[in-house]
Amino acid sequence: MTRSILLTVFLFASICGFSQKEVSGILRGKVIDTTGKQPLPDATIAVLDTRDSSSAGFTVTNDKGLFEVRGLPEGRYRLLITYNGYQQISKYFNISREKSLIELGTVLMERKSVTLQEVIVERPPISVKKDTVEYNASSFKTKPNDDVEGLLKKLPGVQVDRDGTVKSQGETVQKVYVDGKEFFGTDPKLATKNLTADMVESVQVFDDMSDQAKFTKIDDGSRQKAMNIKLKKDKKNGYFGKINLGAGTEGRYDNNLSFNRFKGSRQVSLIAAVNNTNKQGFSFSDIISTMGGFGNGGPGGGQGGGGQGGGFGGGMPGGGQMIATRGAIGGLGFGGSSNGITSSLSTGLNYRDSWGSKIDVSGSYFLSHTKNNSVQNIFKQTFFPDDSTTNSNDDKVSQNSNTSHRFNLRFEYRIDSMNSILYTPTLNIQRSNGYSNDTSTVYSLKGSQQYLALAGNSYNENDRDGLTLNNNLLFRHKLRKVGRTFTLGWTNNYSHSNGEGENISPQTLYTPAGTVLSRYLSQHYDSKQVTNANSNTISTSYTEPLGLNKLLEFNYAYTNNQNNSDKKTFDYDTLTGKYETPNTRQTNYFTNSFIANRVGANFRVQQKKYNYQLGGSMQFASLESHVFNNGSTKDSVIRRNYVNFNPNANFNYTPRMGMNIRLNYR
């Protein structure tokens, strides 16, 4: 009886829950001109919640003037329709369970009369102009002292990931401008995390064209999602900033500041942050491990020698494992480690200005320092079919630090209306060092017998310095005919790194009686490695317009890449107590040379809703590689010549805002 009552109550509750399903309202309509009775395409449709004037949805009308907004919860709303050159329309409507579909029918819009007296026009929360979506910042409520990232989280169609990556309509925003200019180089997060929301007048999201397309005024189809943060007029001149101070238990702290001095075209910004809560200072590119390392020998990386202890017994056939880890705290470590507590110190200075009417210059400097400390204890138990068991204890201690100095410069000189020079160098100086010590013991148990089977230790130490310099120089020339251009560019990439690593991995095996069965060193060496790379590319292109929306491009590039690596490894000599016995297996020296000439052409068609490109190139390349193995094996030389044909095609179709279809072939 009781079960029947409970079943009845459950079914009744389920039916009630189903009947209380949330309302998903729909608003439809058509916008036309009162005079010509013609549909108005791309009119902005904004739906506002009357409770707080927040945006509940937005869209634009299609070619026939039709619009539809879906997913409106139950409530009272205000519809705002705007179109350039027409008077704004405002209507109220309700979404309820009884009436979830609102058919507005035809909505007439009147042109603005120049003879009318000036009236105050309400600014819509969202407006769409061609491929640009503009959000009125005052229409979206933010918390006091919120940064721009907090504002972006309120904008419909915009998402902000946990790491601060911004996406619009599903596409990652690659660049963030402030009043149309770069802010702290090309890292989008530095603007969104260090400018306050109350400074912002509006946020514009658009498809950014390449520097080449901006110069020639001809769309070359090279696009990336970008965002422009327009500041309020009273925020463009003066001093402003913010300071956040945080402290917690166990000595935890998280502090940061932002200070800005804006005056006309000149912008000077200072940012700084210090914490020991596993927050990365600026960018993962600051970490030296991205330049390579000494293998995967545990945190701090020796050359393949880490993790030797503690691994015995677990990989035998028929074995099952139970693993418990204690004392591991997630964070950012050295060389890819995800354990420990990371303390971070970072600061940056940004400068931007216009020197007269012909020169725009911007530059920045970053200092980033991280230090990771990790203490782990891992217990692992393995069961075997013969009822024997092994218990292993693994104690790991590691400390690693990384320091980076990064310089960026963007210098643009407009010689005259037909010629310009763009120079963008970057310099990155990095240093890292660290060590890890892994002590392990393995006990074997069978019945009442228990004994120490293995004792091991693995010690790794790593020290590395690196430098990377990139240069990009571009000369652009426009001819008399619009779209007819000539460009000449030079790209240089130089890198140098110098590292040293030490690995010691002694192991001792014991008998059931407790005597030493054997002692050996699986790894005990010191390794030094120097790498150099230098790449130069000279490229040129010529564009010829074919009508109003067609373009033909011819291009040529010469590439010369030279790099080498010198790695010397010496085993420990027990007689002399020094690292002086060559380890030929881990010693090598190689050089690579790659030279290529590429010539190509592209044909491009640009329409309002679609564009496509067809093209290809021929590349004539030679590769020469020398590998020297310190006499242990025969040195090898590889010489190859290649002739490659590289066809390419792409098609991009945008039927309406928020919908895009792309096809690429390479």
Side-chain angles (χ1 to χ4, degrees):
M1 182 66 180
T2 303
R3 291 183 178 178
S4 299
I5 295 174
L6 290 175
L7 181 60
T8 303
V9 172
F10 175 76
L11 291 174
F12 179 75
S14 300
I15 294 172
C16 290
F18 181 77
S19 65
Q20 294 298 320
K21 183 180 180 180
E22 286 189 7
V23 176
S24 181
I26 301 174
L27 174 69
R28 291 175 182 162
K30 181 178 182 180
V31 180
I32 67 172
D33 172 76
T34 55
T35 305
K37 306 299 181 183
Q38 297 296 316
L40 296 178
D42 296 327
T44 302
I45 310 297
V47 178
L48 310 179
D49 194 321
T50 56
R51 292 174 299 181
D52 55 6
S53 296
S54 62
S55 176
F58 81 100
T59 186
V60 294
T61 55
N62 62 15
D63 290 341
K64 298 179 181 179
L66 299 172
F67 68 87
E68 180 179 272
V69 180
R70 290 178 170 268
L72 298 174
E74 188 173 1
R76 181 167 175 79
Y77 298 94
R78 181 186 176 205
L79 170 65
L80 201 62
I81 304 176
T82 54
Y83 192 81
N84 190 31
Y86 287 75
Q87 296 184 33
Q88 186 173 276
I89 290 180
S90 176
K91 291 180 178 291
Y92 290 88
F93 65 95
N94 295 312
I95 295 291
S96 63
R97 196 170 305 281
E98 295 76 20
K99 191 174 183 180
S100 61
L101 175 61
I102 305 298
E103 293 279 7
L104 292 180
T106 300
V107 180
L108 301 177
M109 294 196 75
E110 295 184 3
R111 288 186 177 273
K112 292 179 181 178
S113 174
V114 294
T115 59
L116 293 177
Q117 294 181 351
E118 184 179 354
V119 295
I120 298 176
V121 179
E122 180 182 2
R123 187 176 178 182
I126 303 169
S127 59
V128 180
K129 301 175 183 178
K130 295 184 179 180
D131 63 345
T132 300
V133 179
E134 183 169 354
Y135 301 89
N136 178 18
S138 61
S139 300
F140 303 92
K141 306 299 180 183
T142 57
K143 298 177 182 178
N145 301 319
D146 250 355
D147 52 25
V148 172
E149 188 175 281
L151 170 63
L152 298 181
K153 292 178 180 179
K154 303 287 185 179
L155 307 183
V158 177
Q159 304 87 39
V160 182
D161 294 342
R162 291 183 61 183
D163 64 351
T165 300
V166 180
K167 294 182 179 180
S168 176
Q169 305 295 334
E171 290 188 70
T172 300
V173 174
Q174 304 288 346
K175 266 190 176 184
V176 173
Y177 298 96
V178 177
D179 281 338
K181 303 291 184 180
E182 289 185 357
F183 183 81
F184 272 103
T186 58
D187 191 343
K189 300 174 188 177
L190 292 175
T192 60
K193 290 180 177 292
N194 292 285
L195 295 177
T196 55
D198 62 355
M199 298 173 54
V200 181
E201 177 182 291
S202 64
V203 176
Q204 298 172 327
V205 181
F206 57 97
D207 290 327
D208 195 18
M209 295 192 299
S210 64
D211 288 330
Q212 172 73 358
K214 293 176 184 177
F215 177 79
T216 62
K217 308 301 182 183
I218 299 294
D219 191 349
D220 60 3
S222 177
R223 297 296 187 94
Q224 62 179 355
K225 190 65 69 176
M227 180 176 289
N228 181 41
I229 300 171
K230 294 183 65 176
L231 302 180
K232 298 176 181 177
K233 290 183 179 180
D234 60 337
K235 300 295 184 181
K236 294 182 179 181
N237 290 280
Y239 300 88
F240 57 89
K242 67 174 183 177
I243 299 178
N244 294 323
L245 303 176
T249 58
E250 301 182 6
R252 298 287 170 255
Y253 56 86
D254 186 358
N255 309 307
N256 60 76
L257 70 86
S258 171
F259 176 78
N260 302 271
R261 171 65 169 118
F262 285 9
K263 184 178 180 181
S265 62
R266 180 178 300 170
Q267 296 182 2
V268 181
S269 300
L270 172 69
I271 59 177
V274 58
N275 71 83
N276 62 353
T277 57
N278 292 350
K279 285 186 177 181
Q280 177 66 20
F282 285 124
S283 171
F284 282 99
S285 64
D286 294 329
I287 300 177
I288 190 69
S289 58
T290 59
M291 298 179 62
F294 283 91
N296 299 315
Q303 295 182 350
Q308 294 292 330
F312 288 83
M316 297 182 180
Q321 290 187 348
M322 179 177 67
I323 302 174
T325 303
R326 298 186 294 273
I329 304 175
L332 175 65
F334 175 83
S337 171
S338 59
N339 301 313
I341 294 294
T342 299
S343 58
S344 172
L345 168 65
S346 51
T347 184
L349 180 66
N350 184 71
Y351 171 83
R352 191 185 81 194
D353 199 1
S354 294
W355 297 347
S357 60
K358 292 187 175 183
I359 297 177
D360 287 339
V361 62
S362 62
S364 62
Y365 162 73
F366 293 95
L367 165 65
S368 177
H369 175 75
T370 59
K371 186 175 183 180
N372 174 269
N373 290 281
S374 174
V375 178
Q376 284 184 288
N377 175 259
I378 300 175
F379 173 77
K380 180 166 60 178
Q381 192 172 49
T382 306
F383 302 91
F384 298 96
D386 61 353
D387 294 330
S388 63
T389 306
T390 62
N391 294 334
S392 67
N393 283 286
D394 209 357
D395 296 310
K396 298 182 179 181
V397 178
S398 66
Q399 184 181 92
N400 308 282
S401 65
N402 304 273
T403 303
S404 170
H405 303 269
R406 193 171 73 219
F407 302 85
N408 297 282
L409 176 67
R410 188 181 193 276
F411 181 88
E412 184 174 7
Y413 175 40
R414 294 178 292 275
I415 302 172
D416 51 39
S417 61
M418 309 297 283
N419 302 278
S420 74
I421 295 176
L422 179 63
Y423 179 48
T424 55
T426 62
L427 174 65
N428 197 3
I429 303 172
Q430 299 174 309
R431 175 174 176 77
S432 71
N433 58 76
Y435 74 88
S436 69
N437 190 39
D438 183 354
T439 303
S440 60
T441 57
V442 178
Y443 287 87
S444 179
L445 298 88
K446 188 170 185 181
S448 60
Q449 186 182 25
Q450 174 178 333
Y451 68 95
L452 176 63
L454 170 69
N457 178 261
S458 179
Y459 177 82
N460 299 277
E461 188 174 339
N462 197 348
D463 191 8
R464 179 174 287 268
D465 294 291
L467 178 148
T468 303
L469 174 64
N470 299 316
N471 290 285
N472 290 280
L473 181 63
L474 180 66
F475 169 73
R476 299 171 295 192
H477 173 67
K478 288 190 292 187
L479 287 86
R480 296 294 180 185
K481 186 176 181 179
V482 176
R484 183 178 292 171
T485 66
F486 170 78
T487 62
L488 179 64
W490 170 62
T491 300
N492 167 255
N493 299 287
Y494 171 78
S495 65
H496 168 81
S497 68
N498 189 352
E500 181 176 1
E502 181 183 10
N503 185 291
I504 307 174
S505 302
Q507 309 288 338
T508 304
L509 295 174
Y510 295 90
T511 67
T515 60
V516 175
L517 179 64
S518 66
R519 287 192 178 97
Y520 64 94
L521 281 172
S522 60
Q523 303 277 1
H524 193 181
Y525 59 75
D526 179 83
S527 183
K528 296 180 176 63
Q529 184 176 11
V530 178
T531 63
N532 294 282
N534 192 10
S535 172
N536 288 276
T537 299
I538 298 176
S539 60
T540 182
S541 70
Y542 172 81
T543 60
E544 178 67 28
L546 304 175
L548 297 176
N549 58 356
K550 299 178 181 65
L551 189 71
L552 187 62
E553 180 209 16
F554 300 95
N555 55 73
Y556 167 78
Y558 168 79
T559 300
N560 189 322
N561 296 340
Q562 306 290 329
N563 61 76
N564 62 74
S565 173
D566 186 5
K567 180 181 176 183
K568 294 181 173 66
T569 305
F570 296 92
D571 289 330
Y572 183 76
D573 192 325
T574 55
L575 296 178
T576 63
K578 298 179 180 179
Y579 295 99
E580 56 185 14
T581 303
N583 184 327
T584 56
R585 291 187 176 184
Q586 298 198 50
T587 296
N588 57 64
Y589 176 80
F590 70 82
T591 63
N592 280 329
S593 174
F594 177 80
I595 299 175
N597 291 272
R598 177 182 55 81
V599 59
N602 295 292
F603 174 69
R604 178 153 204 88
V605 173
Q606 181 73 40
Q607 298 290 353
K608 181 179 180 181
K609 289 191 174 183
Y610 71 90
N611 60 73
Y612 65 87
Q613 176 176 296
L614 301 172
S617 64
M618 293 287 292
Q619 180 171 275
F620 306 88
S622 63
L623 172 68
E624 185 171 317
S625 178
H626 293 254
V627 179
F628 306 91
N629 291 294
N630 216 28
S632 60
T633 60
K634 184 179 179 180
D635 298 338
S636 62
V637 179
I638 299 174
R639 293 185 178 91
R640 297 286 188 272
N641 292 306
Y642 304 93
V643 178
N644 293 327
F645 173 60
N646 306 307
N648 70 83
N650 62 70
F651 176 78
N652 185 26
Y653 176 53
T654 307
R656 58 182 176 84
M657 189 190 68
M659 178 178 290
N660 184 273
I661 299 173
R662 291 176 181 169
L663 300 174
N664 293 282
Y665 170 75
R666 286 186 293 272

